[in-house]
Amino acid sequence: MEIHFKIIGTALIILALIHVIFPRYFNWNEDLKSLSLINREMMIVHTFFIAVVVFLMGLLCLIHTNEIIETKLGKSISLGFGIFWTLRLLIQFFGYSSKLWKGKTFETIVHIIFSGLWIYLSGIFWWNFLN
């Protein structure tokens, strides 16, 4: 189980760092111009804080692996993370339109990779909580 938490920690830190490219990749300078100032800034600020939370989740998994696996508090943390990533998995299929990826090779590959990641994260955290 320890190796899974090391993998997860590393993956989450990488995922958090990837958020840095979002504004440029998704062309936010142009696409967000039509939004009101509050909506534009909420998009940017919330993305920043999502990245921070994901980074801290990863750091926690890397630094406190044994505590997460072996202690009651760690099991509770796994429950919270399991719920979080299960919800993210459901959003992958029910929150985003399939029009964003169907029939598009790169987007379909990204959709499959991230669906697999959300399944892996959810599964490991639930497994740790339940055992």
Side-chain angles (χ1 to χ4, degrees):
M1 183 63 73
E2 186 174 332
I3 188 70
H4 291 293
F5 278 88
K6 298 296 184 186
I7 292 168
I8 286 171
T10 303
L12 290 177
I13 288 171
I14 291 167
L15 179 61
L17 295 174
I18 288 172
H19 281 73
V20 170
I21 68 166
F22 281 14
R24 173 175 257 163
Y25 183 81
F26 293 111
N27 195 25
W28 284 0
N29 281 340
E30 281 301 310
D31 284 356
L32 299 182
K33 275 184 181 176
S34 63
L35 297 178
S36 66
L37 180 61
I38 186 66
N39 285 325
R40 185 171 51 251
E41 289 185 352
M42 280 177 48
M43 182 78 172
I44 294 164
V45 170
H46 283 204
T47 298
F48 172 77
F49 278 99
I50 289 168
V52 169
V53 168
V54 170
F55 182 85
L56 293 173
M57 280 184 185
L59 205 57
L60 186 64
C61 289
L62 280 176
I63 294 173
H64 294 288
T65 306
N66 291 328
E67 291 89 341
I68 294 172
I69 294 169
E70 298 170 4
T71 68
K72 188 174 179 179
L73 177 60
K75 301 286 185 180
S76 295
I77 290 168
S78 285
L79 171 62
F81 287 0
I83 292 168
F84 181 91
W85 292 110
T86 300
L87 290 172
R88 180 59 186 88
L89 174 63
L90 293 172
I91 292 296
Q92 187 74 15
F93 292 99
F94 303 110
Y96 289 113
S97 171
S98 61
K99 293 176 185 176
L100 294 170
W101 58 270
K102 272 191 179 174
K104 302 173 186 174
T105 304
F106 177 74
E107 289 83 352
T108 299
I109 291 168
V110 170
H111 174 74
I112 291 167
I113 288 169
F114 281 102
S115 297
L117 179 60
W118 310 148
I119 290 167
Y120 177 65
L121 295 171
S122 301
I124 295 300
F125 287 123
W126 280 109
W127 182 263
N128 187 59
F129 170 70
L130 295 170
N131 289 305

